[in-house]
Structure formats: C-alpha cells, structure tokens
C-alpha cells in the first residue's frame, strides 16, 4: 500500500514532494563543483557576452564602420527601421542583436541548468546509497517524481528570472540611450518568458527524469540527457526566434503546444518511478 492510498490529502502530498525537493536543493547547494560551472555559463551568456558586444557596437564611431553597418541595416526588417527612426546604424544593429539574436538564450541556458540537475537527481540517489531510504519513505512514487522535478525546475526558473533581469538591465543601459530610452523587455520577449519558457522547462525535465528512472548509472543518465536535450535545444532556438517574429500568433501556439506536451510528459514520467528501481533492482 502506498502512502497516497493511506493519506490522499493534497496538502500532505504536496508537503512530502516539497520535502524531497528541498533535500535535493540543499545537497545541490553544498556541491559547488557541480553548480559553479552552471553559474559561470549563465553569467557568460546573460551578462558578459551581451555587455561586451553591445558596448563595443554602440561605442564605435568610425565612419568606415558606420558605412558597413549601414549596409547591414538595409537588410533588417522594416519594422525595426520604423521603430528606430532617427537612430544611428550602430544602435539599430545593437537593437536587432538584443531583441532577436540572444532570444534563444532565454530557453537554452535554463534548459542546460535544469537538464544537468535532472539527469543526476534520481541516479544520484542510488550512487549515494540513499535510494533505499527514499524507497521506504512515506512518499508515493508520484510524490517522489514531483519532488525530483521541482528540484530540477526551480534552479532553471531561477536562472531564467535572474538572467532575464540582468540581461534587460544591460540592454537598456547600453542600447537604450541611442534608441530613445529604456525599451526592453519588448512584448515579444514577455510572451517568450511568460508563456513559452515555463512549459518547455517542464517538458525537458519530465523527459529526462523518465529516462533517468530507468537507467542504472550516471554515465547512462548523462548520455540519455544529451540525446534528449540536444534536439530540444535546436527546437528551442527555432521556437524562440519565431516567437519573437510573431509573438501573438506563433509564440502563443508554441506555448500552447509546449504546455500540452509538458503535461503529457509529466503524466507518463510519474509512472516511470518504481521503488525497486530506487533500490537498484531494475523493474
């Protein structure tokens, strides 16, 4: 008899899932060699690279460089030229880079963080020898899966929120003065961050946890995670750029499809966790 059959209270069930997630997050915080590289990657893509790139472009005042940028500006969408009428070519290029080129990072970086954690969280229980305690805990298989999913999702969402805030400040400080003031985040970016990113992370984590629950080693879990995340990252790149091109139509559709796929992946993933697998007995 599972814990959920003995006590089906939603509050108690959520509490047990949160205890599992909190335990994993506490262990993650202590593993600096694990999360430090993830922090460095996020800082590079959300802060260092945009700051250097935008500052360099907007600060160059060479006439030759301006002429070259002018040739590039002529191939930009008319909507950008209309929005930035009167702005110099360097500011228009920086605007296009900030709004379009870096859009995939809004999905790719959080996916990298959550997938790295998700691929390790279940298999780590067996490697640490704590799978037996988890298997004999009052938590049901569903609560174990949801707790592990929360432990992988929360750092990904935190990365997206903090990175997006820092990136917005950098964009407004470096590019805003040349285009008439603070303009970021745009409506398209708000749709991307509020509607597309959340379900996409759930989808990735659910798939990775489902696979991790069935493999027997960390190496196999990491390989399976790479096989899952690589095509999803490619899709994320295309989805994010298309979402920004047409936020209300394409972005809304991508978000809706992602939510449906995420719910289906969670439903199937919950059934992948078995107590005998936590004990390393297969099944």
């Amino acid at each position: 008899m599972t814990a959920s059959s003995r006590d089906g209270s939603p509050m108690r069930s959520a509490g047990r899932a949160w205890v599992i997630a909190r335990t994993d997050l506490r262990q993650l915080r202590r593993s600096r060699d694990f999360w430090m590289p993830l922090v460095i990657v996020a800082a590079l893509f959300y802060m260092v690279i945009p700051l250097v790139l935008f500052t360099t472009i907007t600060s160059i005042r060479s006439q030759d460089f301006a002429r070259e940028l002018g040739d590039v500006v002529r191939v930009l969408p008319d909507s950008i030229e209309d929005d930035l009428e009167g702005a110099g070519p360097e500011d228009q290029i920086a605007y296009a880079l900030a709004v379009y080129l870096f859009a995939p990072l809004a999905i790719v970086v959080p996916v990298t963080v959550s997938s790295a954690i998700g691929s390790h969280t279940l298999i780590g229980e067996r490697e640490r020898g704590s799978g037996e305690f988890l298997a004999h805990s009052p938590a049901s298989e569903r609560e174990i899966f949801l707790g592990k999913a929360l432990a992988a999702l929360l750092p990904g969402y935190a990365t997206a929120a903090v990175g997006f805030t820092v990136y917005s400040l950098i964009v407004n400080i470096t590019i805003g003065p040349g285009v008439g003031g603070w303009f970021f985040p745009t409506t398209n970016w708000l749709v991307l961050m509020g509607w597309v990113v959340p379900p996409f992370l759930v989808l990735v984590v659910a798939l990775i946890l489902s696979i991790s629950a069935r493999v027997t080693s960390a190496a196999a879990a990491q390989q399976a995670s790479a096989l899952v995340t690589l095509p999803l990252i490619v899709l994320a790149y295309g989805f994010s750029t298309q979402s920004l091109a047409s936020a209300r139509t394409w972005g809304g559709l991508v978000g809706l499809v992602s939510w449906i796929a995420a719910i289906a992946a969670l439903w199937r993933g919950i059934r992948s966790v078995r107590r005998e697998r936590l004990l390393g007995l297969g099944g």
Side-chain angles (χ1 to χ4, degrees):
M1 182 180 295
T2 64
S4 59
S5 62
R6 294 193 301 268
D7 186 354
S9 169
M11 292 298 295
R12 290 184 179 274
S13 180
R16 286 189 287 265
W18 172 243
V19 168
I20 294 172
R22 186 177 59 188
T23 301
D24 278 8
L25 291 173
R26 186 183 301 115
Q27 293 173 345
L28 176 64
R29 187 175 66 248
R30 295 172 179 171
S31 303
R32 292 189 178 183
D33 57 335
F34 181 83
W35 59 258
M36 186 62 72
L38 299 176
V39 171
I40 293 174
V41 169
L44 281 174
F45 284 101
Y46 278 127
M47 182 173 63
V48 177
I49 295 176
L51 180 61
V52 172
L53 180 61
F54 300 151
T55 301
T56 301
I57 292 177
T58 56
S59 62
I60 294 178
R61 291 294 182 264
S62 169
Q63 292 183 354
D64 293 337
F65 184 69
R67 282 195 298 269
E68 293 177 1
L69 287 181
D71 295 335
V72 177
V73 167
R74 281 192 284 272
V75 302
L76 292 177
D78 294 336
S79 58
I80 294 181
E81 296 188 58
D82 294 338
D83 292 340
L84 302 179
E85 186 176 358
E90 65 279 356
D91 294 314
Q92 294 186 33
I93 292 296
Y95 177 94
L97 292 176
V99 174
Y100 293 97
L101 179 65
F102 282 90
L105 299 180
I107 295 180
V108 172
V109 175
V111 162
T112 302
V113 172
S114 287
S115 62
I117 297 172
S119 64
H120 180 74
T121 180
L122 275 174
I123 202 70
E125 296 286 354
R126 291 199 291 267
E127 293 190 338
R128 291 191 300 268
S130 55
E132 181 176 356
F133 297 100
L134 189 60
H136 291 98
S137 70
S140 66
E141 287 90 345
R142 180 186 64 183
E143 292 159 357
I144 292 172
F145 181 88
L146 293 178
K148 296 296 184 180
L150 274 175
L153 284 171
L154 291 177
Y157 285 138
T159 300
V162 174
F164 180 54
T165 300
V166 173
Y167 180 74
S168 299
L169 290 173
I170 291 174
V171 169
N172 285 314
I173 291 173
T174 57
I175 303 175
V179 297
W182 285 37
F183 66 93
F184 199 87
T186 61
T187 302
N188 299 349
W189 267 82
L190 291 176
V191 171
L192 179 67
M193 298 302 298
W195 179 242
V196 178
V197 172
F200 209 90
L201 279 184
V202 174
L203 173 61
V204 171
V205 168
L207 290 175
I208 289 175
L209 287 179
S210 298
I211 295 174
S212 297
R214 293 179 169 89
V215 298
T216 58
S217 67
Q222 291 171 357
Q223 291 173 358
S225 173
L227 290 175
V228 170
T229 55
L230 183 57
L232 289 177
I233 286 176
V234 174
L235 286 175
Y237 187 92
F239 286 170
S240 58
T241 52
Q242 289 295 328
S243 297
L244 288 174
S246 184
R248 294 182 180 179
T249 54
W250 183 253
L253 178 61
V254 169
L256 178 61
V257 172
S258 297
W259 276 115
I260 295 173
I263 293 172
L266 279 176
W267 181 260
R268 290 184 60 85
I270 288 172
R271 300 191 301 179
S272 67
V273 177
R274 296 289 183 269
R275 296 183 185 275
E276 56 269 22
R277 289 174 179 165
L278 292 172
L279 293 170
L281 301 177

